[in-house]
Amino acid sequence: MASQAPIPDKLYYRIKEVTEITGLAAYVLRFWESEFSAIRPRRSESGQRLYRRSDIEAILEIKYLLYEKKFTIEGARKQLKKQGSPRSRNARDSLLEQIRAELRSIRNMLDE
């Protein structure tokens, strides 16, 4: 896979951070949200998109399939389904993120 900026260890990322990490424009990310079910950012109370690490990993996989392997959008969808949906893999990652956040919270409480 092509090199990209490392993904910082955070729970949520704003769209500007995701554009910097992936090298994609914000409008591409918004379009891909409508085309790929693997990308489902949450929304903040103010309506801003909040991406998780699993969303970014799915975006990078889609970018690889479209730009490097030259798949069509439909072909990329089929390939992701064949590989096992990033969303299903991301359910485990989401759980791990929640556990990490809880552990950080406990560590912060112990440091006080």
Side-chain angles (χ1 to χ4, degrees), residues 42-101:
R42 294 182 183 179
R43 296 287 184 142
S44 68
E45 289 182 16
S46 63
Q48 289 187 326
R49 288 169 170 82
L50 298 174
Y51 294 85
R52 292 167 299 198
R53 180 181 200 88
S54 58
D55 291 317
I56 296 172
E57 290 169 350
I59 290 165
L60 292 171
E61 179 67 19
I62 292 165
K63 180 181 176 183
Y64 173 73
L65 291 173
L66 294 177
Y67 294 6
E68 301 292 324
K69 292 292 199 174
K70 305 296 185 196
F71 279 79
T72 62
I73 288 177
E74 185 60 33
R77 269 195 223 110
K78 288 178 182 178
Q79 183 67 22
L80 291 172
K81 194 173 196 176
K82 182 178 164 186
Q83 292 174 355
S85 164
R87 178 55 69 196
S88 65
R89 290 192 308 255
N90 293 337
R92 179 196 54 151
D93 293 343
S94 178
L95 179 60
L96 289 174
E97 286 176 23
Q98 290 174 348
I99 292 170
R100 282 188 197 111

Side-chain angles (χ1 to χ4, degrees), residues 32-47:
W32 285 2
E33 287 174 29
S34 68
E35 296 295 320
F36 297 96
S37 62
I39 307 170
R40 289 288 174 247
R42 294 182 183 179
R43 296 287 184 142
S44 68
E45 289 182 16
S46 63

Side-chain angles (χ1 to χ4, degrees), residues 7-31:
I7 303 173
D9 188 24
K10 294 172 52 174
L11 195 54
Y12 293 106
Y13 306 82
R14 296 187 189 276
I15 196 165
K16 181 173 173 50
E17 295 171 298
V18 178
T19 62
E20 292 168 358
I21 292 167
T22 63
L24 296 167
Y27 73 88
V28 173
L29 296 174
R30 291 190 299 269
F31 174 71

